[in-house]
Amino acid sequence: MAKKTKQTKEKRSGAPSQAGVRVAQFFKKNIYVILMIVCILAIATMITVAVVVNNKDNGDQVLKPIQSGDKEPDDPVITPPDTNEPDDPVITPPDVEEPDKPIIKEFILTAPLDSYTIGQEFFDTELVFDPTHNYWATHEGIDFTAEAGSDVKCMFDGQVKSITTDSYNGTVVVIAHQDGFETVYKLLDGVTLKEGADIKQGEVIGKVSDSALAEVASGAHLHLELKKDGKFVNPMEYMLQGDK
């Protein structure tokens, strides 16, 4: 009996265990599945390694410093076009002669007579006594007292604007000047000028009258008026200092 038990133990000790049998049966039964899983894991590992290596290479390219003067081999060399154009022709304008411009003198009046005295002065806002009419009125001019027949001269270059004659004022000559000025010469005789004629400073206009009725109580004289843009102004303010 004891001998049989001993043989039984020896037999059990040389045989595989039940766990080993089960493992062997599992592998035998699922060998294809296991091989497939191993292949998949191997492929996944290879892909992972390839991606890591590729990213490393790209990172090395990005982080590589670009040295001054380096040029990518693939960059095209662009040569700018020749922009040198022929010089534009120089056009010289023809000589154009400008018409002579009139020389504008300073408006300064010379004396209208060679010999005179100042009679009634200029009062355009105050009233002065008029002995001819025996009343008070403004006097919008200057009276140059002189002998009858004395030559009355143009006081500044201009053009004869108008000539009128009547028994009260005698002959009245209006001469237009530059800058809107006009001189008015009253109580004249012997005028031979024509309207529209040019006249120079110092040329004779006419003579002092002794027959005109205006201001006859003051004796023979030239009544001179000066206008600027149609308004009366004092002639003495525009006469040469020595003629005032």
Side-chain angles (χ1 to χ4, degrees):
M1 186 68 175
K3 186 178 180 180
K4 185 178 182 179
T5 302
K6 184 179 179 180
Q7 292 176 351
T8 301
K9 289 181 179 180
E10 291 176 354
K11 182 179 180 179
R12 289 180 178 176
S13 61
S17 64
Q18 291 183 357
V21 172
R22 290 176 181 174
V23 170
Q25 290 177 350
F26 175 80
F27 275 102
K28 183 178 181 180
K29 188 181 293 185
N30 300 290
I31 186 62
Y32 294 108
V33 175
I34 293 171
L35 291 175
M36 187 178 295
I37 292 172
V38 170
C39 291
I40 291 172
L41 291 175
I43 293 170
T45 302
M46 293 174 65
I47 293 173
T48 302
V49 171
V51 170
V52 170
V53 172
N54 185 52
N55 289 340
K56 183 179 180 180
D57 293 340
N58 291 338
D60 292 342
Q61 293 177 1
V62 173
L63 297 177
K64 181 181 178 181
I66 299 175
Q67 300 296 328
S68 177
D70 289 349
K71 182 176 66 175
E72 294 293 336
D74 296 333
D75 291 344
V77 178
I78 301 175
T79 303
D82 186 7
T83 57
N84 292 331
E85 297 181 357
D87 295 336
D88 294 335
V90 178
I91 301 176
T92 303
D95 293 335
V96 179
E97 294 185 0
E98 296 183 359
D100 294 336
K101 296 181 180 179
I103 299 175
I104 299 177
K105 300 189 300 183
E106 185 179 359
F107 189 75
I108 299 177
L109 301 175
T110 56
L113 292 143
D114 292 334
S115 180
Y116 64 91
T117 58
I118 297 297
Q120 186 62 268
E121 296 183 1
F122 177 85
F123 291 96
D124 62 336
T125 57
E126 298 180 24
L127 300 179
V128 295
F129 184 72
D130 182 351
T132 300
H133 300 93
N134 198 27
Y135 61 62
W136 293 77
T138 58
H139 191 257
E140 297 167 332
I142 298 289
D143 289 345
F144 292 85
T145 303
E147 294 183 1
S150 299
D151 288 337
V152 177
K153 299 178 181 180
C154 180
M155 303 176 73
F156 196 84
D157 297 351
Q159 187 178 64
V160 179
K161 181 178 180 180
S162 66
I163 301 174
T164 58
T165 302
D166 59 54
S167 59
Y168 184 74
N169 288 308
T171 301
V172 178
V173 177
V174 179
I175 298 178
H177 307 283
Q178 66 187 38
D179 302 326
F181 285 101
E182 290 181 356
T183 48
V184 182
Y185 305 80
K186 294 184 176 181
L187 310 180
L188 299 180
D189 279 335
V191 176
T192 59
L193 298 174
K194 301 293 183 183
E195 290 185 5
D198 292 332
I199 187 169
K200 294 295 184 180
Q201 191 174 55
E203 289 187 22
V204 175
I205 297 174
K207 299 182 182 298
V208 175
S209 173
D210 60 354
S211 60
L213 299 178
E215 300 180 349
V216 66
S218 300
H221 66 276
L222 165 70
H223 177 86
L224 174 75
E225 297 172 352
L226 177 64
K227 294 182 179 180
K228 173 70 166 88
D229 298 326
K231 296 182 179 180
F232 290 103
V233 293
N234 189 349
M236 286 297 184
E237 295 179 358
Y238 297 89
M239 290 185 64
L240 288 172
Q241 185 69 32
D243 292 334
K244 292 185 179 180

